[in-house]
Amino acid sequence: MLPQIPRLSDYGVSPTHGFLPDTLPLTRLPDPYYNRWEAIVANLQALILSRRLRGVVDRLPVLSTVGLEHDAEWRRAYSLLCFMAHGYIWGGDSPADRLPPPISVPLLEISDRLEVPPVATYAALCLWNYKPLFVDEEIDNLENLATLNTFTGSLDESWFYLVSVAIEARGAPIIPLMLSAIAAAREEDTATVTASLRAFAERLTDLTNILQRMHESCDPTVFYHRIRPFLAGSKNMAEAGLPRGVLYEDGSGTETYRQYSGGSNAQSSLIQFFDVVLGIEHRPTGEKQDPTSGSDREGRSARHNFIQEMRRYMPGGHRRFLGDVSRVANIREYVEDHTNDTQLCLAYDACLAMLSAFRDKHIAIVTRYIITPSREVRARSRSRSPEVTRQRMNLAVASRKKENQGAQSQRGTGGTALIPFLKQARDETGEPAVEEWTRRFMKRQVRTEGRGDFFLGKDDDGAPLVTEDVEVKGLAGSWTMEDDVGGICLF
């Protein structure tokens, strides 16, 4: 007997808003008991700039979570405490390796309740951190969105989060659409499957158009130097000043240091849903496709542990939803069994092509916002004295490394591995293509943004680029090619 197709309501997934909450995030906790949290986050930028945040937090009482009632209140509290936590850790001249009880005690309780780690996840930064300017207008329109919390108070930071919010909102209708397609495939309803895939491809084009608006209001230099440091987690952050991670003080006397990934778009359930429903398989970075091995999704998921690791940072219901969808996904197999139906195959290949184009745009953005600024930082650092470069230690400063380190000591810091991974993920998106012309089309060399650039303007066969050694901490960690430490990035 076939497993039941997941019902969105069982997982906290909205048929209209997708992985965004069905009700708008609260702009403020209703109970005045939590006014202290609200006041700190409302003044977060000033407290960080004046170096007073840590002293204010240290003097806070430990507030109980008993006053939190509805899910929206728990989500608001989680987002508030995550902003406070990352501001506390990264908002000084050197990072703090201990979170005091006023933050850690309620954050640990709230995280358990929401089934998310006690760190600034994609959910805390994006999914639960927005409001519409006009409630009678759609939230998939960037011009109708504003953030609730930021670290810097800058338009650049708000825009960075809101682009993701708009993508989540615009992509939300794809979720029930493709669940219906799965049901239609079970009934051999080819017309419905084809129509669903066509609608999917059109909506993916909309998502790419939203993504490429990132440059409109988010400056790469501002992002790299002012925003990105606050998004870092505590995993593999020794060079940034957290060799053991962060100690979450809870008063038990048995606390141990914890290491978590920081906020990353890899934690978006929507993008992983696209791969799952289309039957796209991702291999460990650098591993070529074996045409004789056939499809082995379960084995690949176990080996490519980065994808599974990022699911741990999604809300529990969303994580379970992806797992259950993977057990019923049948679109790829259905198309492969009906290769004589030209319209069906074209519709499926169109989805792969549009998702590949989305990843092409992501490669361009990562290059512009992370790779290029990192190279500029390294070039400038060669002309500075060690005393100057040691004055402030954070994620941006730690993105340099000693010139004379050997290959083994560079493990986990190979910045140039970021682009090869993204290119491989894009290429893997096109592998299930049915039509030969589609495979050729998606293997083309894209020469748009970044033309002539080292990373985007040169042909490559997917092999790692080793001409230049650039260390990049990503949005929350070090990018690496080492399969035994996660495949694409360390957090």
Side-chain angles (χ1 to χ4, degrees):
M1 185 175 180
L2 293 174
Q4 181 181 359
I5 295 175
R7 295 183 303 177
L8 299 181
S9 59
D10 294 339
Y11 304 89
V13 181
S14 168
T16 55
H17 296 156
F19 297 106
L20 296 170
D22 204 22
T23 57
L24 291 174
L26 292 177
T27 59
R28 189 176 184 87
L29 289 172
D31 192 336
Y33 176 71
Y34 299 107
N35 282 352
R36 291 182 178 88
W37 292 352
E38 294 284 358
I40 289 175
V41 177
N43 295 280
L44 192 60
Q45 301 84 37
L47 291 170
I48 290 173
L49 288 172
S50 64
R51 302 292 194 270
R52 298 187 65 180
L53 176 62
R54 291 176 181 173
V56 170
V57 169
D58 289 339
R59 292 191 297 270
L60 275 178
V62 177
L63 301 185
S64 170
T65 60
V66 70
L68 302 173
E69 297 181 1
H70 305 295
D71 286 345
E73 296 178 22
W74 287 90
R75 291 192 290 261
R76 171 68 178 170
Y78 174 70
S79 186
L80 289 173
L81 288 167
C82 285
F83 273 89
M84 290 169 59
H86 280 239
Y88 190 96
I89 293 170
W90 298 107
D93 291 332
S94 60
D97 67 349
R98 303 171 75 91
L99 271 182
I103 291 179
S104 61
V105 171
L107 180 55
L108 290 169
E109 295 176 5
I110 293 168
S111 297
D112 287 343
R113 169 71 160 69
L114 296 174
E115 299 180 83
V116 286
V119 69
T121 60
Y122 179 81
L125 298 169
C126 299
L127 298 182
W128 304 337
N129 186 38
Y130 73 94
K131 66 177 180 180
L133 298 177
F134 301 96
V135 294
D136 59 340
E137 295 183 14
E138 297 296 330
I139 59 173
D140 62 356
N141 177 12
L142 273 167
E143 282 68 33
N144 191 43
L145 290 173
T147 52
L148 299 176
N149 311 313
T150 64
F151 295 104
T152 64
S154 64
L155 173 61
D156 306 75
E157 184 180 354
S158 290
W159 192 259
F160 178 72
Y161 301 149
L162 294 177
V163 166
S164 293
V165 173
I167 288 173
E168 294 283 343
R170 188 70 62 88
I174 296 174
I175 302 170
L177 175 76
M178 293 311 296
L179 293 182
S180 298
I182 291 172
R186 289 183 173 185
E187 300 296 327
E188 291 289 330
D189 184 355
T190 303
T192 297
V193 175
T194 303
S196 299
L197 289 170
R198 287 172 177 166
F200 186 1
E202 292 172 0
R203 186 66 59 141
L204 281 171
T205 303
D206 292 343
L207 303 190
T208 303
N209 291 337
I210 294 173
L211 181 61
Q212 66 187 5
R213 295 187 60 187
M214 180 68 75
H215 72 278
E216 289 182 16
S217 297
C218 184
D219 181 84
T221 300
V222 173
F223 170 77
Y224 186 84
H225 292 282
R226 290 190 58 202
I227 301 167
R228 191 180 64 106
F230 289 106
L231 306 181
S234 54
K235 190 174 183 179
N236 294 313
M237 285 289 146
E239 290 187 46
L242 299 177
R244 294 178 291 178
V246 172
L247 187 71
Y248 286 65
E249 298 181 6
D250 58 14
S252 67
T254 60
E255 305 99 331
T256 58
Y257 281 86
R258 299 167 179 241
Q259 295 188 2
Y260 294 109
S261 304
S264 168
N265 286 338
Q267 296 162 10
S268 169
S269 301
L270 183 69
I271 304 304
Q272 287 209 26
F273 174 80
F274 295 162
D275 285 337
V276 168
V277 80
L278 291 175
I280 296 169
E281 302 166 4
H282 293 294
R283 297 179 295 278
T285 305
E287 181 178 304
K288 302 292 186 180
Q289 182 183 22
D290 182 357
T292 65
S293 65
S295 178
D296 181 17
R297 294 181 192 173
E298 206 171 305
R300 297 215 184 279
S301 294
R303 283 160 39 216
H304 191 70
N305 55 18
F306 172 74
I307 298 297
Q308 298 300 320
E309 174 70 12
M310 287 298 97
R311 289 192 187 182
R312 293 181 53 240
Y313 293 82
M314 300 174 184
H318 300 175
R319 180 169 61 248
R320 287 187 290 274
F321 174 74
L322 292 177
D324 289 346
V325 171
S326 67
R327 284 185 276 274
V328 301
N330 59 4
I331 300 299
R332 177 176 176 177
E333 288 79 2
Y334 186 79
V335 173
E336 290 173 345
D337 290 341
H338 296 78
T339 52
N340 60 329
D341 190 315
T342 303
Q343 295 303 314
L344 173 66
C345 294
L346 285 174
Y348 179 75
D349 283 1
C351 291
L352 300 180
M354 293 305 100
L355 187 54
S356 179
F358 181 86
R359 287 183 160 131
D360 270 331
K361 180 54 60 178
H362 186 214
I363 290 171
I365 288 175
V366 167
T367 299
R368 184 178 184 186
Y369 283 79
I370 298 178
I371 300 296
T372 300
S374 174
R375 295 165 66 192
E376 293 171 352
V377 166
R378 184 177 179 188
R380 287 196 303 270
S381 71
R382 294 193 183 106
S383 63
R384 295 179 179 176
S385 66
E387 290 75 15
V388 172
T389 59
R390 281 198 298 265
Q391 284 180 359
R392 179 176 173 82
M393 176 58 71
N394 63 17
L395 188 60
V397 175
S399 63
R400 297 187 306 271
K401 71 186 216 201
K402 295 178 181 178
E403 298 283 343
N404 298 322
Q405 286 179 322
Q408 292 302 316
S409 61
Q410 295 175 12
R411 173 176 171 176
T413 59
T416 53
L418 173 55
I419 294 300
F421 163 76
L422 293 175
K423 287 186 176 181
Q424 178 175 320
R426 175 201 60 197
D427 295 342
E428 289 166 344
T429 301
E431 287 175 359
V434 179
E435 300 290 342
E436 176 62 29
W437 71 267
T438 310
R439 289 192 288 271
R440 291 200 307 271
F441 173 76
M442 285 189 284
K443 288 180 180 179
R444 74 199 188 287
Q445 292 297 317
V446 179
R447 297 176 180 271
T448 53
E449 184 174 335
R451 182 180 179 88
D453 180 81
F454 175 78
F455 293 98
L456 292 183
K458 305 295 183 182
D459 293 341
D460 73 88
D461 59 359
L465 302 174
V466 295
T467 306
E468 181 176 356
D469 183 19
V470 179
E471 179 178 0
V472 179
K473 290 294 184 183
L475 294 188
S478 302
W479 299 95
T480 178
M481 284 291 288
E482 300 291 340
D483 292 335
D484 59 342
V485 291
I488 67 168
C489 69
L490 289 173
F491 290 86

